[in-house]
Amino acid sequence: MKTLLVTGSSGLIGSEVCAHFGTELGYTVHGLDNNQRAAFFGAQGDNRWNQRRLERDIPGFVHHELDIRERERVVALVAELRPDAIVHTAAQPSHDLAAKIPFDDFDTNAAGTLNLLEAARRGCPESPFVHMSTNKVYGDAPNRIALTELATRWDYADPAYARGIPETFSIDQSKHSLFGASKVAADVMVQEYGRYFGMPTCCLRGGCLTGPNHSGVELHGFLSYLVKCNVEARKYTVFGYGGKQVRDNIHSLDVARFIAEFVAAPRAGEVYNLGGGKGNACSILEAFALAERHTGKPQVHAYVDAPRAGDHICYYSDLGKMRAHYPRWDITRSLDAIVGEIAAAALGRHADGMRA
Ligand SMILES: NC(=O)c1ccc[n+]([C@@H]2O[C@H](COP(=O)([O-])OP(=O)(O)OC[C@H]3O[C@@H](n4cnc5c(N)ncnc54)[C@H](O)[C@@H]3O)[C@@H](O)[C@H]2O)c1
């Protein structure tokens, strides 16, 4: 039986990967997480419920309570397990929070990734290593693309980007936020272990990754947090750009399905822009309308006329390279289906909370 090591296993992407490989693909799954999300975001970000869900639902799942910053323990764990693949999703994921905790951010995102890469090189250099990177590695450079303002969203006016942002887009000389910069360090290091050491590594530069198992908070988890606010009649604050800023959204299951394709036929030092693409893109205003349709509740919101530092005005991923390299993969969950699923889960949790 094959073995998979997933870091950040209690998080949105980590837990989906654990479930997909553990229940659909027959792997023995080892999860590594220390519930750091609760340390980063407080009780709202607490992921223990998700860890318990994995321990309950995935046969043979083993949880390792470990911090990826603990270099020796990480190296020892990988040496002991010698997993057939490593999926690295543990991170400090918020660019707003990074400015408040720069050492924690860099130590987790950059040094933590190096710990895992070096552990893999020593313990299982042949095993595919998938790293969750982010579209924030492009900094705010996408904001320099000529845009057109439509009734409810911004869109690219330049036909060169009609299919979205490709992997060849520059990651240099733009404002990234400290989070974006620590993720650039990790992204380039993951590529280097592929190019320099020939290891089967890849970086997945995520757009908005989402799904019902996200512990969404204001600083991270766009759709999940927006729908949660809608359900609980809590005020959602829009920061700048008229609420017309566009994000592309991908269901965590489609992320896990792509990772499975890469693990089955790995390449070295690859980079993919992994988002929902143009088909699953929406503005915040459009997301309000979608959420309202699925919950039947009005979205309570406020507007602050100042965008978040480094925020994208319009971003959607060009999925062309992913589809070309892995033609069996495509998006299976539409934006409408994603919002419907998140809304159903949020309504259920809200009703449970009201009963408790
Ligand atoms: N969710 C998104 O919209 C999005 C978008 C682009 C990129 N990404 C990237 O995808 C990855 C996964 O994101 P997510 O949404 O699943 O995040 P998440 O916060 O839901 O999950 C991350 C998990 O990592 C754990 N973790 C954090 N620091 C740790 C440490 N030092 N040691 C051990 N565990 C630690 C957390 O407790 C959490 O369970 C991250 O690298 C993130 O930057 C996410």
Side-chain angles (χ1 to χ4, degrees):
M1 196 183 254
K2 289 191 169 179
T3 307
L4 177 71
L5 174 63
V6 180
T7 73
S9 44
S10 307
L12 169 75
I13 298 304
S15 63
E16 191 79 56
V17 169
C18 289
H20 189 62
F21 278 77
T23 53
E24 300 294 322
L25 304 179
Y27 276 69
T28 298
V29 179
H30 291 259
L32 181 167
D33 205 300
N34 65 346
N35 199 28
Q36 187 69 25
R37 191 173 169 88
F40 290 147
F41 300 114
Q44 294 268 339
D46 196 305
N47 271 337
R48 289 289 178 208
W49 64 273
N50 214 7
Q51 177 191 330
R52 285 192 289 275
R53 188 177 68 89
L54 299 178
E55 287 168 331
R56 187 189 63 219
D57 294 350
I58 302 177
F61 177 80
V62 184
H63 175 79
H64 300 269
E65 187 75 19
L66 185 58
D67 191 317
I68 57 167
R69 291 171 287 188
E70 291 185 62
R71 183 166 294 158
E72 278 78 31
R73 289 187 65 199
V74 168
V75 169
L77 179 68
V78 174
E80 181 199 327
L81 296 178
R82 295 188 187 280
D84 295 288
I86 296 178
V87 179
H88 174 39
T89 80
Q92 188 300 103
S94 160
H95 59 162
D96 292 328
L97 187 58
K100 298 193 180 85
I101 52 166
F103 291 124
D104 279 339
D105 177 79
F106 198 85
D107 288 347
T108 304
N109 291 351
T113 300
L114 177 60
N115 292 345
L116 280 150
L117 283 167
E118 190 49 31
R121 188 174 77 88
R122 295 181 194 179
C124 54
E126 312 289 322
S127 303
F129 184 106
V130 178
H131 168 65
M132 289 309 302
S133 185
T134 169
N135 62 16
K136 296 293 184 303
V137 300
Y138 299 118
D140 62 359
N143 291 353
R144 293 183 210 137
I145 300 171
L147 296 175
T148 176
E149 185 171 5
L150 304 175
T152 56
R153 67 160 79 184
W154 296 95
D155 203 352
Y156 301 125
D158 184 340
Y161 299 102
R163 296 194 325 169
I165 305 289
E167 291 80 358
T168 49
F169 203 84
S170 174
I171 63 169
D172 193 19
Q173 298 182 55
S174 60
K175 186 174 179 180
H176 292 82
S177 81
L178 298 193
F179 160 75
S182 66
K183 294 293 275 192
V184 165
D187 184 304
V188 172
M189 199 58 102
V190 171
Q191 290 187 57
E192 212 51 46
Y193 270 69
R195 296 214 169 80
Y196 193 89
F197 295 121
M199 284 167 56
T201 67
C202 83
C203 297
L204 304 181
R205 294 179 176 163
C208 279
L209 319 177
T210 191
N213 295 324
H214 215 184
S215 300
V217 291
E218 183 169 23
L219 296 184
H220 183 242
F222 158 59
L223 267 185
S224 157
Y225 180 70
L226 185 149
V227 173
K228 187 195 275 186
C229 285
N230 176 294
V231 166
E232 296 171 7
R234 217 186 307 162
K235 189 163 67 185
Y236 182 95
T237 305
V238 180
F239 294 95
Y241 303 135
K244 294 185 180 183
Q245 53 271 59
V246 169
R247 286 100 174 71
D248 65 337
N249 304 283
I250 181 169
H251 194 289
S252 47
L253 179 61
D254 283 337
V255 176
R257 288 177 49 258
F258 184 81
I259 291 172
E261 290 292 321
F262 182 86
V263 166
R267 294 160 174 258
E270 270 300 355
V271 170
Y272 299 98
N273 285 351
L274 172 74
K278 189 167 189 171
N280 269 11
C282 68
S283 69
I284 295 182
L285 295 180
E286 291 163 355
F288 285 165
L290 268 171
E292 286 172 350
R293 193 157 58 71
H294 280 282
T295 65
K297 300 178 176 204
Q299 187 88 37
V300 182
H301 55 92
Y303 185 71
V304 174
D305 199 13
R308 288 189 157 128
D311 204 11
H312 292 146
I313 307 173
C314 179
Y315 187 97
Y316 47 87
S317 319
D318 181 345
L319 305 181
K321 184 177 174 188
M322 295 173 67
R323 288 176 173 136
H325 284 192
Y326 296 98
R328 288 193 314 183
W329 179 87
D330 209 342
I331 297 285
T332 63
R333 301 287 168 97
S334 69
L335 178 63
D336 191 55
I338 293 172
V339 175
E341 212 180 303
I342 296 175
L347 285 166
R349 282 203 273 264
H350 186 57
D352 289 347
M354 301 291 270
R355 275 195 293 273

